[in-house]
Amino acid sequence: MTGSRTSDWHASMPGRQNGPLIVTEDEGLLDDLLRLCAAAGAVPEVAHGTPARRASWESAPLVLVGDDCAGRLGAAGRRDAVVLVGKDMDDPGVWQRAVGIGACHVALLPDGEKWLVDKIADAVEGVGRAAFTVGVIGGRGGAGASTLACALALAAARAGLRTVLIDGDPLGGGLDVLLGGERAEGLRWPAFADSRGRVAGQALEEALPEMHDLRVLSWDRSDCTVVPPDAMRAVLAAARRRGGAVVVDLPRRLDDAALTALEQLDVGLLVVPAELRAVAAARSVAATVGMVLDDLRAVARGPFGSGLDGDEIARLLGLPLAGELPPEPGLSQALVSGRPPGGGTRGPLARFCARFWDAVQIGDGGVPV
């Protein structure tokens, strides 16, 4: 990727959604609120004193009322998502004025700036509940974690969920290759390596390549093999805010970015082949992951023999069993021909993934119900 494309990705995003309504006559406060809206990626409408149009008051995703105008808004009508914004932290009357206009929150600047930026961005993006987020990690090298991660994402997309697949393994060769989409248009990890703070969820989704009805954040074939933890945190949080399902493929040797990703997972799946050496290796991985992630489950991968079935593997690891994954006939040939793992509805891999999402029972907000 060229430097200009990677460094200016936010500037090339599509038009923003409707921004908040700002109601104030205080020029200093207005300057502050315009700056905070810009930080949140929002373009506000400004009304001096009282809303110029009743439709603006009623339709704005968020109304920011300056404390200087709170006493004159009785006729504007009550509505949800109103924030009273002031600067005098020693004025106890601000809370009374907030109640008077039906404000749901009070933001006092400058201390409340970060909170207010997030509030503005959430309102503009229409944020609901976070996506159900699954991390997949191999108990040993070649366990099939990337294969399962791709299949889980494809199954979630088939089920009608908004789905994002994130490649957290910089040395894995790229999940876009595994999905047969290495030439698909869109940004890869190097474009986001400098991300800090908040990344807009819609902008992220629209910037990523679309493959098989899901969005994929993969690595390219450049020399970039590391993203800072702050970038992983910002990008994964943006993907989760859009709801639906997020699947993260994680490396066995957890770097700082992968450890940061673990903090945002709802559940982790540890893929363990039915071999004693694989179980021994998986114990070390489980111990490291378990220090960060509370819900880690074992996926036992066949063929099974010598008394090592899924229940025994889970017992040896001290983990709950997410399920057994028998060998997938024709998987190697499918990958060579460019067909993604679990891309159909038949076969052990697709059935395992369908059962997983059925068990999770993701509701409209993208969380287990």
Side-chain angles (χ1 to χ4, degrees):
M1 293 185 181
T2 65
S4 60
R5 186 178 179 188
T6 58
S7 61
D8 298 333
W9 73 274
H10 343 58
S12 61
M13 290 301 100
R16 302 291 183 183
Q17 301 177 22
N18 291 333
L21 173 66
I22 297 175
V23 183
T24 184
E25 291 181 342
D26 183 329
E27 293 298 327
L29 181 60
L30 176 59
D31 287 344
D32 286 336
L33 292 178
L34 290 175
R35 172 174 54 83
L36 298 180
C37 285
V43 179
E45 178 180 348
V46 178
H48 294 278
T50 58
R53 297 181 298 122
R54 185 176 185 85
S56 299
W57 176 268
E58 293 176 347
S59 65
L62 182 69
V63 178
L64 306 176
V65 178
D67 193 25
D68 61 299
C69 293
R72 301 199 297 275
L73 289 180
R78 298 299 181 94
R79 55 151 290 172
D80 295 331
V82 175
V83 177
L84 182 63
V85 186
K87 290 187 173 182
D88 188 354
M89 302 186 69
D90 297 322
D91 179 12
V94 68
W95 306 102
Q96 267 187 314
R97 293 189 289 277
V99 172
I101 64 171
C104 55
H105 296 284
V106 172
L108 297 175
L109 308 183
D111 289 5
E113 286 191 357
K114 183 180 184 303
W115 177 88
L116 191 54
V117 168
D118 286 342
K119 185 73 175 176
I120 295 168
D122 283 347
V124 171
E125 289 187 49
V127 171
R129 293 185 175 181
F132 187 79
T133 306
V134 184
V136 186
I137 187 169
R140 66 152 168 81
S146 297
T147 297
L148 179 57
C150 288
L152 281 169
L154 290 166
R158 276 198 303 272
L161 297 172
R162 175 189 284 116
T163 306
V164 179
L165 174 62
I166 295 179
D167 190 348
D169 186 356
L171 301 180
L175 292 186
D176 55 350
V177 177
L178 196 55
L179 291 169
E182 61 269 27
R183 291 187 175 87
E185 287 294 322
L187 301 184
R188 269 69 173 179
W189 261 121
F192 303 95
D194 294 329
S195 298
R196 299 291 186 274
R198 183 183 178 109
V199 173
Q202 181 181 359
L204 171 69
E205 185 174 332
E206 293 174 351
L208 297 180
E210 184 174 7
M211 306 172 196
H212 309 284
D213 297 321
L214 59 100
R215 298 286 179 166
V216 181
L217 176 53
S218 184
W219 298 87
D220 62 7
R221 265 45 72 186
S222 71
D223 293 334
C224 177
T225 57
V226 176
V227 294
D230 286 347
M232 175 64 78
R233 183 179 295 108
V235 168
L236 184 50
R240 297 183 71 237
R241 282 197 302 273
R242 296 288 285 165
V246 173
V247 180
V248 187
D249 180 30
L250 294 167
R252 281 185 65 242
R253 296 187 180 278
L254 296 168
D255 57 15
D256 290 341
L259 289 170
T260 299
L262 287 176
E263 297 171 357
Q264 297 193 56
L265 299 184
D266 292 298
V267 62
L269 299 179
L270 180 63
V271 184
V272 187
E275 307 161 359
L276 282 175
R277 287 187 64 193
V279 174
R283 287 178 64 89
S284 298
V285 178
T288 302
V289 174
M291 291 189 292
V292 182
L293 179 64
D294 292 332
D295 192 350
L296 178 64
R297 309 175 193 181
V299 176
R301 185 171 70 80
F304 299 99
S306 305
L308 271 184
D309 59 6
D311 289 330
E312 180 63 9
I313 290 172
R315 186 190 70 79
L316 290 171
L317 294 174
L319 298 175
L321 180 66
E324 294 183 345
L325 190 55
E328 180 86 0
L331 178 60
S332 297
Q333 293 86 344
L335 295 178
V336 169
S337 63
R339 299 197 305 274
T345 57
R346 298 182 178 180
L349 192 54
R351 289 195 295 269
F352 175 93
C353 295
R355 286 195 301 269
F356 175 84
W357 292 118
D358 286 344
V360 169
Q361 293 183 324
I362 293 181
D364 291 339
V367 293
V369 296

